[in-house]
Amino acid sequence: MTNACFYHAGCPVCVSAEQTLLNLLAPHVKVEVVHLGDQKQRVVEAEQAGVKSVPALVVDGQVLHLNFGASIDDLK
Amino acid sequence: MTNACFYHAGCPVCVSAEQTLLNLLAPHVKVEVVHLGDQKQRVVEAEQAGVKSVPALVVDGQVLHLNFGASIDDLK
């Protein structure tokens, strides 16, 4: 079982894109989703894991920073 | 079967991180990996798909831009 942690901050566009990614992940990957806006006490943990921006996926100590390039149109 | 396309430009750090992500993807996802440095004729295709930067994963018309935040240490 691979454990992963998905940090985000609640942006609707990002949540939608994250869902796409989470749906793609293999069944053997257990992903914990952490909303840092709601769980500010976990920001330090994210920083210590190497998270520089959100959304980010941390897997086996490796940080994958995700930037979905949301356009203005997506936000309308 | 979900089809996805991973565009990158050959950075060793990114290739390593991509491999981590590709290993996580579910078996029902078929990922084509395109090195845009080697296959410049596919840059237009990537642009038309909405790719603004690499590495990026395009899935079902949705572009996930990835930015691994490689540190200088990773590049040593």
Side-chain angles (χ1 to χ4, degrees):
Chain A
M1 172 71 80
T2 297
N3 285 293
C5 192
F6 207 113
Y7 296 101
H8 71 106
C11 154
V13 173
C14 292
V15 167
S16 165
E18 286 164 26
Q19 202 55 53
T20 296
L21 182 59
L22 297 189
N23 285 340
L24 293 175
L25 295 177
H28 63 278
V29 182
K30 183 180 178 187
V31 182
E32 181 185 12
V33 177
V34 178
H35 186 320
L36 291 177
D38 291 343
Q39 302 183 63
K40 291 186 187 301
Q41 74 280 8
R42 298 191 64 175
V43 171
V44 170
E45 162 202 309
E47 282 182 333
Q48 288 175 343
V51 173
K52 305 291 187 192
S53 62
V54 289
L57 182 70
V58 178
V59 189
D60 294 337
Q62 188 168 33
V63 183
L64 305 183
H65 292 97
L66 302 167
N67 182 336
F68 299 100
S71 74
I72 293 296
D73 285 342
D74 289 335
L75 297 169
K76 283 178 184 170
Chain B
M1 173 69 80
T2 298
N3 286 293
C5 193
F6 208 113
Y7 295 101
H8 71 105
C11 155
V13 174
C14 293
V15 167
S16 167
E18 286 165 25
Q19 201 55 53
T20 296
L21 182 59
L22 297 188
N23 285 340
L24 293 174
L25 295 176
H28 62 277
V29 182
K30 182 180 178 186
V31 182
E32 181 186 11
V33 176
V34 178
H35 187 320
L36 290 177
D38 290 343
Q39 301 183 63
K40 291 186 186 300
Q41 74 280 9
R42 297 190 65 175
V43 171
V44 169
E45 161 201 309
E47 282 182 334
Q48 288 175 343
V51 173
K52 304 291 186 190
S53 61
V54 289
L57 183 69
V58 178
V59 189
D60 294 337
Q62 188 167 31
V63 182
L64 305 183
H65 291 98
L66 302 166
N67 182 337
F68 299 101
S71 75
I72 293 296
D73 284 342
D74 290 335
L75 297 170
K76 285 177 183 170

